[in-house]
Amino acid sequence: ICTAGEIVEDDTREVEVPEDEVEQYGVTTTVITCDDHTDLGTLYGQAQEAIGLGDLVVARERLTTIVQRDPGYRDARQQLDAIAAGNRPQSDTGDQAAGGGTGGTGGTQPAQPPATDPVGPIVSLTKFVPDSIAGYVAQGILADVASLSRQYLPITDKVDQLVIEVEQRVSADAAVAAQKSIISAYSTSRGTRTVGGRTVMVGSYGNYAAAVFTDGALTVTVELHGSGKAGSSLIDDAIAVVDSIAR
């Protein structure tokens, strides 16, 4: 997966194996910054430096190129709209790819991170959808620039499936509001638990159980389904998954 949220390559395949060997199989995910977004990151870094220096001509040029190639890249569209309206946008001070100078003086960009240590919106999300969770076999990740979801198949018959969804919100307050909204759909056995200092909201509906927590501006939803089982009986299992991914 590219740090910008695109699936660069998916070479997963389905195989049939003996039941007692299922846990030996799964999907491994690697996060990289692809060539296209490395280039966009350079342009974006140059645009941010230009904004910081007040050089909106250079900033507009770099941002226009970015938006033409990837309309949803970082804050490029919003910044370009602000410049078009005659305003000086706020520079994005988040992790940026290094760029060259803009011809002005002052201001430096952080060094380009090595390929083995990528940065970007997706990196903070992937830690909650690990390749290995005890009792489950990881499947492929579905991703976009602000969310990830991953299905896990159980190695026992207690549940049918586990799904974890991670979504980026605009702020920590928005993440908490989303947490409350998500859990409202699970109206049975609703309550709160504390796991590793985090407030986890739990609930169930039919055969589904969910546990939802926040991490800064992220909301993380853990959902279990068990055929022929009351969702309320799966809440502790959902909490166990939260404990394994939220440490």
Side-chain angles (χ1 to χ4, degrees):
I1 296 179
C2 176
T3 52
E6 295 181 2
I7 297 178
V8 179
E9 180 182 4
D10 184 354
D11 58 0
T12 56
R13 59 190 179 91
E14 292 187 5
V15 294
E16 186 173 347
V17 300
E19 185 175 352
D20 60 356
E21 296 180 11
V22 169
E23 196 170 8
Q24 300 175 28
Y25 294 81
V27 176
T28 298
T29 300
T30 302
V31 180
I32 66 170
T33 301
C34 69
D35 292 343
D36 286 345
H37 285 98
T38 296
D39 188 28
L40 289 181
T42 298
L43 291 169
Y44 191 74
Q46 293 172 350
Q48 302 317 300
E49 183 178 358
I51 291 171
L53 295 172
D55 189 346
L56 300 187
V57 173
V58 169
R60 181 173 58 243
E61 177 189 338
R62 301 296 191 272
L63 293 170
T64 297
T65 300
I66 293 169
V67 170
Q68 287 174 344
R69 291 170 54 183
D70 186 347
Y73 191 82
R74 305 285 296 261
D75 294 337
R77 166 59 70 183
Q78 296 93 314
Q79 291 178 337
L80 189 59
D81 288 345
I83 293 173
N87 301 317
R88 176 177 174 178
Q90 182 176 352
S91 177
D92 182 355
T93 57
D95 294 326
Q96 301 164 8
T102 61
T105 60
T108 59
Q109 292 297 311
Q112 176 82 20
T116 54
D117 186 22
V119 296
I122 289 299
V123 175
S124 61
L125 279 63
T126 55
K127 65 181 180 180
F128 295 115
V129 287
D131 291 335
S132 178
I133 295 179
Y136 300 88
V137 178
Q139 306 301 294
I141 290 177
L142 300 177
D144 60 35
V145 72
S147 68
L148 292 177
S149 65
R150 190 169 203 173
Q151 181 182 9
Y152 296 80
L153 301 180
I155 60 175
T156 69
D157 60 0
K158 184 172 184 179
V159 300
D160 299 327
Q161 69 174 9
L162 159 67
V163 176
I164 301 175
E165 184 170 9
V166 190
E167 297 177 274
Q168 176 75 52
R169 309 294 178 177
V170 296
S171 66
D173 288 343
V176 171
Q179 178 189 29
K180 295 176 180 177
S181 176
I182 292 168
I183 206 63
S184 67
Y186 302 86
S187 55
T188 305
S189 304
R190 200 156 42 185
T192 59
R193 306 277 187 93
T194 300
V195 179
R198 301 177 188 272
T199 298
V200 183
M201 296 184 177
V202 299
S204 64
Y205 183 81
N207 303 126
Y208 291 90
V212 188
F213 64 93
T214 65
D215 184 87
L218 302 179
T219 54
V220 183
T221 303
V222 172
E223 183 186 74
L224 289 173
H225 178 269
S227 295
K229 296 180 175 65
S232 56
S233 69
L234 303 176
I235 289 178
D236 286 343
D237 298 276
I239 287 295
V241 173
V242 171
D243 186 47
S244 72
I245 65 175
R247 296 173 183 171

